Amino acid sequence: MLSKWQLNDVKRHSQSQKHDSPPGFTPSANTDLVNRGLSSTSTNELKNKIAWRMVTKALTSLPMQLFMMYMMGNTVQLITFFMLTYMISGPITALSNMNQEFEKISREHSFYLHKLAFVGAQLAIMGLAAWKCSGLGLIPATQADWLEFLPFVEPKEFSTGSVSL
């Protein structure tokens, strides 16, 4: 008689017979797990958690973006343009791929609230980049930035010293 932890080395007479289960495996426990499965409410809760994780992933990059902006300084340099391009193009690509990313979770659910929060997070990152561009003077925001488009006004008179011409 074999103990519980010994393997049976007896050769089988035919290949058509089933193989023995591995040691420690009980088939009834496996079928209970398969039959039990996940309920629909727990599946929906899991999908919601995954969708919120996608939203918060964008928000967790904000401190990194703020640190990068601090390290860039207030001067216009080549590395500044690369960082600003990254800060603007990243949210644009994330917004363009938003529906495909949420469809990976579930095709049946719409995730309207999650998508709205995702768009808000991406717009916050883009707003941060626009604020940095404005601080660097790259966005025309003052009247002096538009002087070349104003018409030239001829003065009505000139004065040189005390004589009027």
Side-chain angles (χ1 to χ4, degrees):
M1 169 121 190
L2 297 172
S3 72
K4 183 177 179 180
W5 297 105
Q6 290 178 339
L7 295 174
N8 189 358
D9 293 328
V10 178
K11 302 268 186 193
R12 299 230 181 240
H13 297 293
S14 165
Q15 292 292 342
S16 64
Q17 294 177 343
K18 283 189 162 185
H19 297 284
D20 289 336
S21 296
F25 177 77
T26 56
S28 62
N30 189 28
T31 56
D32 290 343
L33 287 174
V34 171
N35 292 337
R36 183 178 60 187
L38 290 172
S39 65
S40 63
T41 57
S42 64
T43 304
N44 290 338
E45 289 174 5
L46 183 62
K47 289 177 183 178
N48 280 333
K49 283 183 182 180
I50 293 171
W52 280 117
R53 192 171 295 143
M54 288 176 60
V55 172
T56 57
K57 183 174 67 170
L59 290 174
T60 56
S61 70
L62 275 177
M64 180 191 67
Q65 302 286 349
L66 286 169
F67 181 71
M68 286 174 34
M69 285 176 41
Y70 170 74
M71 294 304 289
M72 279 191 267
N74 290 330
T75 58
V76 179
Q77 300 172 1
L78 187 62
I79 192 70
T80 307
F81 285 116
F82 288 133
M83 293 297 177
L84 287 174
T85 303
Y86 166 72
M87 288 177 69
I88 293 171
S89 66
I92 290 173
T93 57
L95 288 173
S96 64
N97 297 331
M98 179 181 64
N99 287 329
Q100 291 86 4
E101 292 297 321
F102 280 101
E103 280 181 2
K104 288 178 186 177
I105 300 171
S106 175
R107 295 180 190 270
E108 300 91 36
H109 295 356
S110 58
F111 298 114
Y112 289 124
L113 184 63
H114 302 89
K115 288 181 181 180
L116 186 64
F118 185 79
V119 168
Q122 299 301 328
L123 289 178
I125 294 172
M126 289 178 66
L128 202 59
W131 177 72
K132 183 66 174 180
C133 287
S134 176
L136 291 173
L138 299 176
I139 295 177
T142 63
Q143 185 178 5
D145 295 329
W146 302 99
L147 285 179
E148 68 182 61
F149 299 113
L150 294 176
F152 181 73
V153 179
E154 289 287 331
K156 292 184 179 178
E157 64 181 54
F158 293 98
S159 68
T160 58
S162 63
V163 179
S164 177
L165 299 175

